[in-house]
Amino acid sequence: ESKGKYIALLDQDDLWENDRLEKMAKALEEGKARWGYSAFYRFYADGRKILKDDGSNEGAETLAKIVEGKLFVPPAASLIERSLLTECGGFVPSFAPSDDWDLFLKLAENEKGVYVKEPLVKFRSHKTSTGKKQRDKIFMAQEEVLRLHEGKLKSLVPDSALSFRRSRIYFHLAQTYAEKKDKPKAKQYFKMALKERPFRVKCWSRYLKFLLGF
């Protein structure tokens, strides 16, 4: 329904700084970019506030970090040209609740974005958030998203970045199936995680506890 040049996203529990739109639009115009994102604060009900400013103005670095999971871009911290969002296919509902990861992979694969180091968004974190309640679904969706993107990503990021992310996804899925008492699935995913990163101590520790029944 929109008619403007840009799409600015805001989840229901996050906050923008008053001048966020002005500063993001200026950054995109000056950088001749079609999308961008800013640093942000992750904040909690007890008053804690953690600065997240690990973005990059290097396109390849941004993509690799998004793949690995070392860079989280909250939708509220982004600004995207409407035409680019349409070209990329927008959000894919079947990938929810990891449809935002799919979107930012598509954006970073196709266009270099600009990064604003100033924190212009406050991302709320709390125990009842959608992400916390759907943790198992998140990693199931991430496995599907990574499978879809893997062919293209192989020519854009190091193999180590893909292996790192696969290992993390498999590890979390192993724990999910262990909690559900699905031992064959849990064992399968622990082995898959260790195949990607054989020397990950945390994964070996959890796997051995699982095998011993702890």
Side-chain angles (χ1 to χ4, degrees):
E1 299 293 331
S2 67
K3 303 297 182 186
K5 182 177 180 179
Y6 297 114
I7 297 292
L9 305 162
L10 180 61
D11 288 350
Q12 71 272 24
D13 54 354
D14 298 335
L15 302 170
W16 283 349
E17 295 296 341
N18 291 336
D19 55 358
R20 184 193 99 85
L21 287 176
E22 178 186 356
K23 288 182 175 178
M24 286 301 302
K26 182 180 179 182
L28 264 65
E29 295 290 341
E30 291 180 349
K32 297 181 180 178
R34 300 177 71 195
W35 78 283
Y37 63 102
S38 74
F40 65 96
Y41 283 110
R42 185 184 288 272
F43 74 107
Y44 301 82
D46 61 8
R48 285 182 299 134
K49 192 169 69 168
I50 299 172
L51 175 63
K52 306 296 288 184
D53 61 348
D54 42 9
S56 172
N57 271 302
E58 296 297 327
E61 184 180 6
T62 292
L63 178 58
K65 282 187 169 186
I66 292 174
V67 170
E68 291 176 316
K70 294 179 179 178
L71 171 62
F72 168 56
V73 182
S78 69
L79 188 67
I80 310 163
E81 271 196 17
R82 184 166 55 89
S83 59
L84 177 60
L85 195 61
T86 301
E87 288 169 22
C88 287
F91 290 100
V92 179
S94 61
F95 290 152
S98 290
D99 48 343
D100 54 344
W101 188 49
D102 169 64
L103 174 64
F104 289 112
L105 281 173
K106 289 186 290 193
L107 292 173
E109 286 168 355
N110 291 284
E111 294 273 347
K112 178 184 175 182
V114 295
Y115 172 58
V116 176
K117 197 170 178 61
E118 181 182 354
L120 300 175
V121 171
K122 293 176 182 176
F123 177 81
R124 192 185 306 270
S125 187
H126 52 92
K127 293 180 180 179
T128 59
S129 68
T130 302
K132 295 245 183 351
K133 289 190 290 185
Q134 300 187 80
R135 194 165 181 79
D136 56 340
K137 291 182 180 178
I138 286 174
F139 289 103
M140 289 176 183
Q142 283 186 7
E143 184 180 24
E144 188 177 353
V145 169
L146 188 58
R147 191 182 299 117
L148 176 71
H149 286 265
E150 199 161 16
K152 187 168 186 177
L153 288 171
K154 282 181 178 179
S155 64
L156 298 173
V157 299
D159 290 340
S160 58
L162 290 166
S163 183
F164 183 87
R165 191 53 180 255
R166 280 195 297 262
S167 177
R168 289 188 64 185
I169 292 170
Y170 297 155
F171 175 67
H172 285 289
L173 287 174
Q175 293 192 103
T176 294
Y177 284 115
E179 290 169 5
K180 292 181 177 181
K181 309 298 182 184
D182 188 336
K183 291 186 176 181
K185 279 281 190 182
K187 190 174 182 179
Q188 174 191 344
Y189 277 103
F190 271 123
K191 286 183 175 180
M192 290 166 67
L194 288 167
K195 183 179 179 181
E196 297 292 339
R197 296 182 70 201
F199 303 107
R200 190 181 181 193
V201 175
K202 183 177 180 180
C203 191
W204 273 112
S205 175
R206 296 287 176 86
Y207 184 35
L208 290 173
K209 286 181 179 180
F210 163 74
L211 292 175
L212 295 171
F214 291 107

